Amino acid sequence: MSILPIYLYGAEVLRKKAKPVTKVTDELIEQIMNMFATMRAAQGIGLAANQVGSLERVIVIDVSDVEGYEEVKPLALINPEILSREGGEEGEEGCLSIPEVRDKVTRPTTIRVKYKDTNFQVQEIEAYNLLARVIMHEVDHINGVLFLDYLSASERKLHKEQLDKIKQGEVETSYPVVAMEEAVV
Ligand SMILES: [Zn+2]
C-alpha cells in the first residue's frame, strides 16, 4: 500500500467531474487500498479519488474513530448516488485538500445512498448526521464541488489569505500534498 499525495485547493482535478467506474480491476482495488492508507495517514474521515488525482467515481470513508460512530465499518463507495435527502443541519467541515480552513455548512441529516461495493454489487444504505455529511462532502468532490462553494462571498473572503497560501503551496501539512503549479493531470 502506498500513501498518495493529496491535491490541494487550486488544483484543476478538484474541479472536474469524475467518470463512472465500469468494472472493478486489480488496479482499482489497489487504488482503493491506497486511498484508505492515504486517508488514515492524513487523519481524515473521508477521501475522494479526485483528491489523489484520479477521476474515477470512488470515495472512501472511515468514521469509526469518531465518538458515537465506532460501529460504522469503513466504506468504499463506487459510483455513489444519493437517492434521497431529508432534514437539514449546520455543521463544521474541513477538507484535506484545504488545510486549516473550516466553516459551517448546512446539509441534509438523513440520506439514502446507492453505490457499488468492491465486488461491484449494488448496495443501498441509509446514513445519518455525520456519516451523511461525510458521504455528501465526498460525493461533491467527485462532482468537482468543494464545501467552500456553499459559503457566501463574505464568508469566503475570511478565508482568502489562507486559500491564497494553499494555492501557492505555502502550507505545512503532516501528509504529502501537491500544490496547484505542480498539479498536471
Ligand atoms: Zn474534502
Side-chain angles (χ1 to χ4, degrees):
M1 263 190 286
S2 336
I3 291 168
L4 308 168
I6 294 179
Y7 284 66
L8 292 181
Y9 174 76
E12 228 176 287
V13 69
L14 294 177
R15 289 309 194 176
K16 292 204 169 136
K17 202 174 156 98
K19 294 186 182 66
V21 171
T22 53
K23 65 174 179 183
V24 175
T25 58
D26 290 348
E27 288 74 27
L28 187 78
I29 296 294
E30 197 185 333
Q31 158 97 349
I32 289 172
M33 306 266 279
N34 290 342
M35 284 173 66
F36 271 115
T38 303
M39 172 179 69
R40 288 181 177 133
Q43 293 184 303
I45 55 177
L47 189 71
N50 298 45
Q51 292 181 278
V52 291
S54 158
L55 286 170
E56 285 170 307
R57 299 187 76 77
V58 176
I59 66 177
V60 297
I61 286 166
D62 187 355
V63 291
S64 62
D65 279 344
V66 181
E67 203 188 329
Y69 292 85
E70 294 86 353
E71 306 296 307
V72 181
K73 292 195 173 66
L75 285 166
L77 289 78
I78 300 171
N79 300 341
E81 220 180 298
I82 298 172
L83 302 175
S84 65
R85 301 167 168 82
E86 275 173 61
E89 193 178 50
E90 197 178 63
E92 204 182 59
E93 291 187 28
C95 180
L96 294 174
S97 294
I98 318 172
E100 289 165 50
V101 175
R102 299 190 69 84
D103 214 324
K104 292 190 178 105
V105 179
T106 299
R107 297 204 191 251
T109 48
T110 304
I111 57 171
R112 274 202 82 74
V113 192
K114 191 170 106 176
Y115 64 96
K116 285 190 170 162
D117 63 19
T118 49
N119 296 314
F120 221 47
Q121 298 299 305
V122 177
Q123 304 288 345
E124 215 179 290
I125 55 165
E126 197 148 281
Y128 308 93
N129 305 320
L130 178 73
L131 181 59
R133 179 175 295 277
V134 179
I135 293 173
M136 285 183 278
H137 178 116
E138 302 310 330
V139 170
D140 275 352
H141 269 304
I142 57 175
N143 288 324
V145 174
L146 300 173
F147 83 90
L148 296 174
D149 302 346
Y150 295 100
L151 306 182
S152 67
S154 56
E155 286 167 332
R156 282 178 74 129
K157 222 173 174 177
L158 297 172
H159 299 300
K160 192 182 180 298
E161 201 182 324
Q162 177 66 7
L163 293 174
D164 286 346
K165 276 190 189 164
I166 297 171
K167 275 190 189 170
Q168 283 151 26
E170 290 169 8
V171 278
E172 278 189 39
T173 50
S174 58
Y175 47 93
V177 292
V178 187
M180 183 170 64
E181 60 265 37
E182 315 164 48
V184 180
V185 177

